[in-house]
């Protein structure tokens, strides 16, 4: 199942890099305050959807990166390249 967790960046990165020895990719977001807020609210909307209707992770069509891209598409007016 897909699970979204709103956590602090330092907790995620420290846990993944130091404890689990995983590679971690950061995707910086350059946006206005309103744009960042819209992005966060869209992510929270999706988390609420998952809480009521869980979905399975799909490595071809629905990954962490494609999820971020979907949130970006939902809040931007101009097309976003993949």
């Amino acid at each position: 199942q897909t699970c979204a967790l709103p956590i602090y960046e330092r907790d995620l990165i420290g846990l993944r890099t130091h404890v689990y020895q995983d590679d971690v990719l950061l995707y910086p977001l350059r946006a206005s305050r309103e744009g960042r807020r819209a992005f966060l609210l869209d992510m929270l909307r999706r988390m609420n959807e998952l809480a009521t209707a869980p979905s399975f992770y799909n490595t071809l069509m629905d990954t962490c990166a494609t999820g971020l891209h979907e949130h970006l598409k939902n809040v931007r007016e101009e097309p976003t390249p993949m």
Side-chain angles (χ1 to χ4, degrees):
Q1 285 185 328
T2 301
C3 178
L5 300 171
I7 59 175
Y8 289 106
E9 183 179 304
R10 66 178 175 268
D11 294 338
L12 171 69
I13 294 173
L15 177 67
R16 292 291 177 189
T17 60
H18 293 84
V19 176
Y20 297 130
Q21 303 290 308
D22 289 337
D23 292 332
V24 174
L25 301 174
L26 298 178
Y27 299 95
L29 180 64
R30 286 177 288 183
S32 66
R33 182 177 182 163
E34 295 80 21
R36 292 189 308 265
R37 178 177 167 77
F39 190 80
L40 175 63
L41 290 175
D42 195 63
M43 291 178 71
L44 294 172
R45 177 197 52 77
R46 178 65 178 139
M47 287 180 211
N48 285 332
E49 286 176 3
L50 289 171
T52 57
S55 68
F56 287 93
Y57 191 83
N58 180 331
T59 56
L60 295 177
M61 303 299 291
D62 188 13
T63 65
C64 296
T66 59
L68 291 174
H69 186 255
E70 285 300 312
H71 293 299
L72 190 59
K73 281 186 358 186
N74 290 342
V75 300
R76 286 185 60 155
E77 293 183 12
E78 64 269 4
T80 56
M82 182 63 172

